[in-house]
Amino acid sequence: MPTECTLTINKSPRGWSVVSIVKYPDWPNPCYTSSGNRTLANALWDTIGHYMRMPDNPRLVAITVKGTPMTPTEAYRIIEKDLRGSGLDYALPAYRKFLQGA
């Protein structure tokens, strides 16, 4: 069983709150991480970027935004719109590859 990642994003009064859950195959309990971001796009590319850098090739099993499931294709579309032409434009192929495996 590979490492599994779940991403839950909700709108908060100060921006977007993110809860990330990572389940490692050899750990008995999942790891929870909470963070905040100013935009939905920033919440997606920041958190998914962390997943992509994990050494054990994790699998993204679910993205939920305000209680509604989000497809990896929709997540990539939002990330691409935000990063295209920016200093992080070079990372778009890696995001596409990672999200296609979700």
Side-chain angles (χ1 to χ4, degrees), residues 35-57:
S35 65
N37 297 93
R38 59 178 174 58
T39 66
L40 174 60
N42 184 239
L44 287 167
W45 63 256
D46 181 47
T47 308
I48 292 171
H50 286 291
Y51 294 161
M52 291 177 357
R53 290 186 297 274
M54 292 174 70
D56 55 349
N57 195 24

Side-chain angles (χ1 to χ4, degrees), residues 5-35:
C5 303
T6 304
L7 179 58
T8 303
I9 304 172
N10 287 298
K11 184 74 171 122
S12 72
R14 293 185 173 158
W16 294 86
S17 64
V18 179
V19 176
S20 175
I21 304 169
V22 179
K23 295 179 183 176
Y24 294 98
D26 53 347
W27 288 13
N29 299 314
C31 298
Y32 292 84
T33 305
S34 298
S35 65

